[in-house]
């Protein structure tokens, strides 16, 4: 590899790290749950992006394209570990998003337990424990719910991009998000984080 090519590669990686590094890392962390592995997967993603060519149709943004590569690297990692990436439920008695609504809401549609104030969400967001607890709770969601939640709410991708990356319809994204939010709220409260601790 000549010097010009090496400089181009370094510049590309620096640009991607600056623009998307934090987002890619957070996505990887909530999927694999271990800091070192998440860092390695992000590095593999950036190196893979250097070898790949962007989709010629231009439909996907650069961030969406990188998240797509990251998803494949995470899947490769999970397959190589020969373990199931996600547990299917928060509670052994809860298999489906419809069941969680019965746990959280009364028949009149009100919360079973009153919600607390929102507190200081920035403080909770910045705390390491929040991300660890969120990763734990995301790991208990069905895989597609977890993926859609992370793509839309953590990575702030558009509904259309989240649908494309998760392989579901746009309408299904809204259903999956609703169920994920309910289950995550319940899980975080079981761990000891109330609504006031959520971002």
């Amino acid at each position: 590899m000549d010097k010009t090519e090496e400089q181009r590669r370094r510049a590309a990686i620096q640009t991607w790290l600056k623009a998307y590094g934090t987002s890619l890392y957070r996505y990887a962390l909530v999927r694999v749950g271990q800091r070192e592995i998440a860092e390695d997967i992000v590095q593999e993603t950036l190196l893979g992006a250097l070898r790949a060519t962007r989709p010629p149709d231009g439909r996907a943004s650069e961030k969406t394209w990188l998240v797509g590569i990251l998803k494949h690297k995470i899947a490769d990692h999970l397959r190589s570990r020969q373990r199931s990436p996600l547990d299917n439920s928060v509670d052994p008695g809860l298999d489906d998003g419809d069941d969680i609504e019965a746990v959280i809401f009364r028949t009149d549609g009100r919360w079973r337990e009153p919600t607390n104030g929102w507190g200081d969400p920035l403080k909770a967001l910045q705390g390491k424990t929040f991300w660890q607890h969120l990763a734990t709770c995301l790991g208990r969601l069905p895989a597609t719910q977890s993926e859609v939640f992370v793509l839309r709410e953590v990575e702030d991708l558009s509904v259309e991009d989240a649908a494309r990356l998760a392989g579901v319809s746009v309408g299904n994204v809204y259903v999956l998000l609703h169920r994920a939010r309910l289950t995550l709220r319940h899980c975080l409260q079981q761990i000891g984080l109330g609504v006031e601790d959520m971002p």
Side-chain angles (χ1 to χ4, degrees), residues 125-190:
L125 182 62
Q126 292 170 342
K128 290 181 183 177
T129 56
F130 173 79
W131 288 106
Q132 291 168 343
H133 292 313
L134 181 63
T136 298
C137 290
L138 283 168
R140 295 176 180 175
L141 290 176
T144 306
Q145 277 185 26
S146 176
E147 181 177 11
V148 166
F149 181 85
V150 171
L151 290 170
R152 181 70 185 117
E153 302 298 343
V154 177
E155 300 310 316
D156 199 30
L157 293 180
S158 70
V159 172
E160 293 77 14
D161 285 343
R164 186 178 317 116
L165 285 169
V168 298
S169 70
V170 169
N172 199 10
V173 166
Y174 292 108
V175 172
L176 292 168
L177 284 173
H178 172 72
R179 290 180 175 181
R181 287 177 186 132
L182 291 175
T183 306
L184 288 172
R185 181 179 190 274
H186 181 71
C187 177
L188 289 170
Q189 285 181 332
Q190 283 182 332

Side-chain angles (χ1 to χ4, degrees), residues 27-187:
Y27 182 87
L29 183 61
V30 298
R31 294 305 300 243
V32 299
Q34 293 178 318
R35 196 173 134 221
E36 297 80 16
I37 293 173
E39 290 170 354
D40 289 345
I41 290 173
V42 170
Q43 285 180 348
E44 290 174 22
T45 298
L46 297 176
L47 291 173
L50 284 176
R51 291 188 288 269
T53 54
R54 290 217 36 215
D57 58 14
R59 288 189 331 214
S61 69
E62 188 171 66
K63 182 177 182 179
T64 302
W65 173 66
L66 288 169
V67 170
I69 295 171
L70 179 65
K71 278 182 55 181
H72 289 290
K73 298 294 181 185
I74 291 169
D76 291 346
H77 166 75
L78 295 173
R79 272 193 297 273
S80 73
R81 298 285 308 259
Q82 294 183 346
R83 63 180 171 85
S84 174
L86 298 172
D87 184 11
N88 283 332
S89 63
V90 172
D91 182 317
L94 299 176
D95 301 320
D96 188 306
D98 291 333
D99 295 333
I100 193 72
E101 290 185 34
V103 172
I104 295 174
F105 298 112
R106 296 188 314 225
T107 55
D108 65 359
R110 297 184 186 270
W111 295 104
R112 288 195 183 276
E113 296 178 25
T115 59
N116 299 325
W118 284 98
D120 184 356
L122 184 58
K123 181 180 174 185
L125 182 62
Q126 292 170 342
K128 290 181 183 177
T129 56
F130 173 79
W131 288 106
Q132 291 168 343
H133 292 313
L134 181 63
T136 298
C137 290
L138 283 168
R140 295 176 180 175
L141 290 176
T144 306
Q145 277 185 26
S146 176
E147 181 177 11
V148 166
F149 181 85
V150 171
L151 290 170
R152 181 70 185 117
E153 302 298 343
V154 177
E155 300 310 316
D156 199 30
L157 293 180
S158 70
V159 172
E160 293 77 14
D161 285 343
R164 186 178 317 116
L165 285 169
V168 298
S169 70
V170 169
N172 199 10
V173 166
Y174 292 108
V175 172
L176 292 168
L177 284 173
H178 172 72
R179 290 180 175 181
R181 287 177 186 132
L182 291 175
T183 306
L184 288 172
R185 181 179 190 274
H186 181 71
C187 177

